[in-house]
Amino acid sequence: MRIKAVQGDITTQDVDAIVNAANSSLLGGGGVDGAIHRAAGPALLEACRELRRTTYPDGLPVGSSAVTPGFELPARWVIHTVGPNWHAGERSTAMLASCFTTSLERAVEVGATSIAFPAVSGGVYGWDMDEVARVAVASARAWQSGADDSWEPGHRRPTGIELVRFVLFSADALAAFEHRLAE
Ligand code: ADP
């Protein structure tokens, strides 16, 4: 599994799955969520409403992830995750790490081999970008080497995911991720 960081727009990525920094309502918002809904077309909102009705009547919990099709996006799937909101006192790094690892689990379930992530919680939700980068890179690496006890530490477990691409909007965010990836 390769882990990369690029500067760009996540809605144009040619990967199997892109991750949306959604909110609990799943009914759309600003930032990357708004951009993904605009690019995917109105069917995405309909699919999110359906997820609410069928599976998450109280909303998608913080740190969890759920999949819909990508509709008009190049990506086949959108994995919606809800980052912790720093401004609301949600300051658990485990919660933020869970956004990345549960998204990777959803990607495996749908058979994706490549996945792109934005800087979840690094926008309106107010987390420091260096901290987002640290948690994002650490959790992808930890997930790859396997929280699975049956797998020997230091080995790579065969998840099927070949590429994790962090797609950052700004040069500063890219620099934060590149710094962590270089460690
Ligand atoms: P959150 O509410 O989880 O903080 P935001 O959407 O406000 O989510 O921001 C998360 C990050 O996504 C921010 O760094 C923001 O600059 C970035 N972002 C916004 N639009 C896009 C896009 N089209 N592609 C990639 N990243 C984006």
Side-chain angles (χ1 to χ4, degrees), residues 6-14 18 32 35-36 39 167-169:
V6 300
Q7 188 175 356
D9 177 352
I10 200 162
T11 65
T12 64
Q13 301 297 307
D14 59 341
I18 66 170
V32 73
I36 289 172
V167 180
L168 295 320
F169 225 31

Side-chain angles (χ1 to χ4, degrees), residues 9 11-12 18 33-42 44 70-74:
D9 177 352
T11 65
T12 64
I18 66 170
D33 193 4
I36 289 172
H37 275 273
R38 279 193 297 279
L44 181 60
F71 300 102
E72 294 170 38
L73 290 165

Side-chain angles (χ1 to χ4, degrees), residues 59-152:
L60 184 63
V62 178
S64 315
S65 306
V67 190
T68 65
F71 300 102
E72 294 170 38
L73 290 165
R76 184 162 175 204
W77 308 104
V78 178
I79 301 174
H80 307 264
T81 193
V82 183
N85 182 349
W86 183 269
H87 302 302
E90 293 166 354
R91 299 178 179 188
S92 150
T93 54
M95 203 66 105
L96 183 57
S98 172
C99 292
F100 294 99
T101 54
T102 58
S103 292
L104 287 163
E105 292 296 338
R106 294 297 87 75
V108 170
E109 286 163 12
V110 297
T113 64
S114 53
I115 181 170
F117 283 97
V120 177
S121 292
V124 170
Y125 279 2
W127 279 62
D128 175 75
M129 191 57 75
D130 291 324
E131 186 65 355
V132 174
R134 187 184 69 75
V135 172
V137 170
S139 52
R141 284 177 171 158
W143 180 83
Q144 166 188 38
S145 54
D148 178 356
D149 292 340
S150 66
W151 200 255
E152 278 181 60

